[in-house]
């Protein structure tokens, strides 16, 4: 007798329900998008002002031009002209792939200062509820922290729950660049945490940067904590579909194409961030040497080869990570496909010993962080495979050359 949980009838109903949910979600999302177009965000206003601006009597280039085109434009300016543009159009310049990293840091300091002042006023706005005033206070304090002199904010958008990216190390001089892509419930208020520090993007980036320096001090590295996409809110419909991942993948590839130099890049994708990396994979620039996923619900592919990337694909999961109980399938747009640590997927499976559950992969002292760091510096022969096998190191020489997983 066929059990009800696996019956063909139930599978049909599941598929129909999934399609209905996706239809309703898309219809609602489309209405929300149209509604939100009525008011320009601060970033959109800054971009519009840029489009009407001039420097030395000449019109400014299209802010959405290719990173190479924008890099050439900024290189043609004097230092004073670049500084003037950062002051006049801080959000535009601060989020412009192709603009020099140091100029983006400067522009985002201006934008953060403005955002801090705005939320400081909102803290005492009588039109807001007490909860609204308290949230404004939390945002204001977050912006103050991000304005510390040693912070390098590569991207910043205060709209809604907000987006941000931060750099650790010297991006222009790095011989290897690592990008941390986080998962659900990531916004400006969760960009960094005091408790569970290493489960938030800033803590992840700091831990990885320190671990890479410990793994090989002779290799100059830089790490980007990249929370510059709108993540799903909780474990609902958004996290079960690729909608957020698709828009995030576009933004991730735009970042990668705007990075300075030609140093190899490694992506470290946690939880839903691995869905973003999976969707982005086929369009990644060739300098991306590695995609390493941890606690992944799937990468929107049935196996690593179907990601259609020349990057090596690595995967890990701690033994007590709850994500292992997520159904690894894709039906009617719901679910994210095969389990990346399964033999059927074909990734190089790494040890995640002592990773401490779903949020602990970047905790110092864990196999997971050490393995990430070794990938980040290109020390591939030194990584620790899962179950102490040699399979994950097959065919690797320990160089920084790019190869297919």
């Amino acid at each position: 007798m066929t059990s009800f949980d696996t019956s063909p009838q139930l599978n049909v109903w599941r598929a129909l329900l999934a399609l209905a949910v996706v239809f309703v979600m898309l219809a609602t999302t489309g209405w929300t998008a149209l509604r939100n177009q009525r008011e320009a965000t601060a970033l959109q206003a800054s971009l519009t002002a840029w489009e009407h601006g001039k420097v030395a009597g000449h019109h400014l280039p299209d802010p959405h031009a290719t990173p190479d085109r924008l890099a050439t434009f900024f290189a043609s300016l004097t230092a004073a002209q670049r500084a003037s543009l950062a002051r006049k159009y801080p959000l535009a310049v601060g989020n412009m792939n192709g603009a020099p990293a140091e100029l983006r840091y400067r522009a985002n300091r201006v934008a953060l200062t403005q955002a801090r002042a705005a939320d400081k006023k909102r803290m005492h706005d009588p039109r807001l509820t007490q909860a609204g005033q308290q949230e404004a206070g939390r945002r204001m304090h977050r912006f103050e922290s991000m304005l510390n002199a040693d912070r390098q904010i590569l991207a910043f958008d205060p709209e809604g729950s907000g987006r941000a990216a931060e750099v650790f190390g010297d991006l222009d001089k790095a011989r290897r660049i690592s990008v941390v892509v986080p998962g659900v419930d990531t916004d400006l208020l969760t960009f960094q945490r005091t408790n569970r520090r290493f489960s938030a993007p800033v803590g992840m980036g700091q831990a990885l940067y320190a671990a890479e320096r410990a793994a090989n001090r002779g290799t100059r590295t830089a790490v980007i904590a990249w929370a510059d996409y709108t993540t799903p809110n909780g474990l609902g419909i958004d996290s079960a579909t690729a909608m957020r991942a698709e828009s995030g993948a576009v933004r991730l590839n735009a970042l990668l194409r705007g990075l300075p130099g030609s140093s190899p890049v490694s992506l470290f994708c946690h939880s839903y961030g691995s869905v973003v990396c999976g969707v982005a994979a086929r369009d990644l620039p060739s300098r991306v040497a590695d995609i390493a996923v941890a606690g992944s619900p799937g990468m929107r592919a049935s196996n690593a080869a179907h990601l259609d990337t020349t990057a090596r694909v690595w995967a890990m999961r701690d033994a007590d990570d709850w994500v292992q109980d997520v159904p690894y399938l894709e039906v009617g747009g719901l679910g994210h496909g095969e389990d990346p640590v399964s033999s059927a997927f074909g990734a190089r499976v790494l040890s995640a010993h002592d990773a401490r559950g779903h949020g602990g992969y970047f905790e110092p002292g864990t196999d997971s962080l050490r393995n990430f760091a070794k990938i980040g510096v290109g020390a591939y022969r030194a990584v620790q495979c899962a179950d102490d096998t040699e399979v994950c190191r097959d065919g690797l020489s320990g160089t920084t050359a790019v190869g297919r997983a």
Side-chain angles (χ1 to χ4, degrees):
M1 179 179 294
T2 303
S3 72
F4 182 70
D5 287 342
T6 59
S7 68
Q9 293 91 339
L10 180 59
N11 288 334
V12 170
W13 277 110
R14 282 175 173 166
L16 290 174
L17 177 61
L19 291 171
V21 169
V22 171
F23 176 79
V24 172
M25 178 188 67
L26 291 175
T28 304
T29 305
W31 175 83
T32 302
L34 288 173
R35 182 188 63 179
N36 289 343
Q37 286 176 5
R38 295 174 186 172
E39 296 183 8
T41 66
L43 175 55
Q44 289 168 340
S46 186
L47 289 168
T48 299
W50 169 282
E51 289 170 345
H52 293 89
K54 291 184 179 182
V55 62
H58 299 286
H59 289 287
L60 301 176
D62 182 349
H64 305 294
T66 64
D68 287 345
R69 168 72 181 89
L70 292 170
T72 300
F73 163 72
F74 282 107
S76 72
L77 304 178
T78 66
Q81 288 171 330
R82 288 193 289 270
S84 176
L85 291 176
R87 288 193 302 271
K88 289 181 179 178
Y89 317 104
L91 281 171
V93 175
N95 292 280
M96 195 171 290
N97 294 308
E102 291 293 337
L103 188 65
R104 292 179 67 170
Y105 304 155
R106 185 185 307 180
N108 283 320
R109 290 188 65 80
V110 176
L112 279 161
T113 301
Q114 294 174 349
R116 178 183 61 180
D119 273 295
K120 189 172 184 178
K121 289 183 179 179
R122 293 180 70 246
M123 289 173 60
H124 307 288
D125 189 337
R127 295 170 298 179
L128 296 179
T129 64
Q130 184 178 5
Q133 291 174 342
Q134 291 173 344
E135 181 179 359
R138 289 194 295 270
R139 285 168 56 93
M140 190 272 289
H141 289 302
R142 175 50 39 81
F143 300 154
E144 281 188 342
S145 174
M146 294 172 72
L147 278 165
N148 286 345
D150 62 341
R151 306 281 297 263
Q152 300 180 133
I153 306 301
L154 186 68
F156 170 66
D157 183 358
E159 186 65 23
S161 58
R163 300 191 299 257
E166 182 169 3
V167 175
F168 305 96
D170 191 326
L171 199 55
D172 290 312
K173 296 180 180 179
R175 293 176 55 196
R176 301 273 311 195
I177 297 173
S178 298
V179 181
V180 176
V181 183
V184 300
D185 291 330
T186 301
D187 55 32
L188 285 172
L189 292 180
T190 60
F191 187 50
Q192 63 190 88
R193 292 190 179 103
T194 301
N195 296 322
R196 297 171 56 236
R197 171 186 170 189
F198 301 110
S199 66
V202 170
M204 292 176 177
Q206 289 172 329
L208 181 58
Y209 182 60
E212 288 180 351
R213 287 171 58 82
N216 188 343
R217 291 194 174 275
T219 299
R220 189 190 299 269
T221 67
V223 175
I224 302 173
W226 187 79
D228 194 25
Y229 79 105
T230 301
T231 69
N233 182 17
L235 299 178
I237 289 297
D238 275 0
S239 63
T241 71
M243 183 178 69
R244 298 294 187 189
E246 287 167 357
S247 58
V250 172
R251 298 184 66 82
L252 178 59
N253 272 310
L255 165 85
L256 297 171
R257 284 181 165 73
L259 292 177
S262 57
S263 300
V265 176
S266 297
L267 304 181
F268 298 93
C269 319
H270 176 244
S271 193
Y272 189 84
S274 67
V275 186
V276 176
C277 292
V279 175
R282 68 177 62 252
D283 296 318
L284 293 175
S286 59
R287 67 187 292 187
V288 177
D290 307 282
I291 305 172
V293 304
S296 174
M299 299 181 72
R300 306 297 293 187
S302 58
N303 58 60
H306 287 172
L307 292 172
D308 195 21
T309 177
T310 56
R312 300 176 184 88
V313 181
W314 310 81
M316 64 171 69
R317 186 174 64 221
D318 188 55
D320 60 357
D321 188 337
W322 57 259
V323 81
Q324 64 189 308
D325 297 322
V326 170
Y328 284 97
L329 49 81
E330 190 276 321
V331 178
L334 295 178
H336 303 301
E338 184 60 72
D339 181 355
V341 302
S342 70
S343 58
F345 192 80
R348 301 174 184 272
V349 182
L350 298 163
S351 170
H353 187 66
D354 289 333
R356 306 171 194 172
H358 189 64
Y361 292 96
F362 290 83
E363 287 279 350
T366 58
D367 274 3
S368 51
L369 181 61
R370 281 189 290 266
N371 278 326
F372 278 167
K374 289 167 184 174
I375 291 169
V377 299
Y380 301 119
R381 292 295 301 168
V383 299
Q384 184 68 38
C385 300
D387 302 320
D388 295 321
T389 66
E390 297 289 326
V391 176
C392 76
R393 291 189 291 264
D394 283 353
L396 298 180
S397 63
T399 69
T400 57
V402 177
R404 182 175 293 276

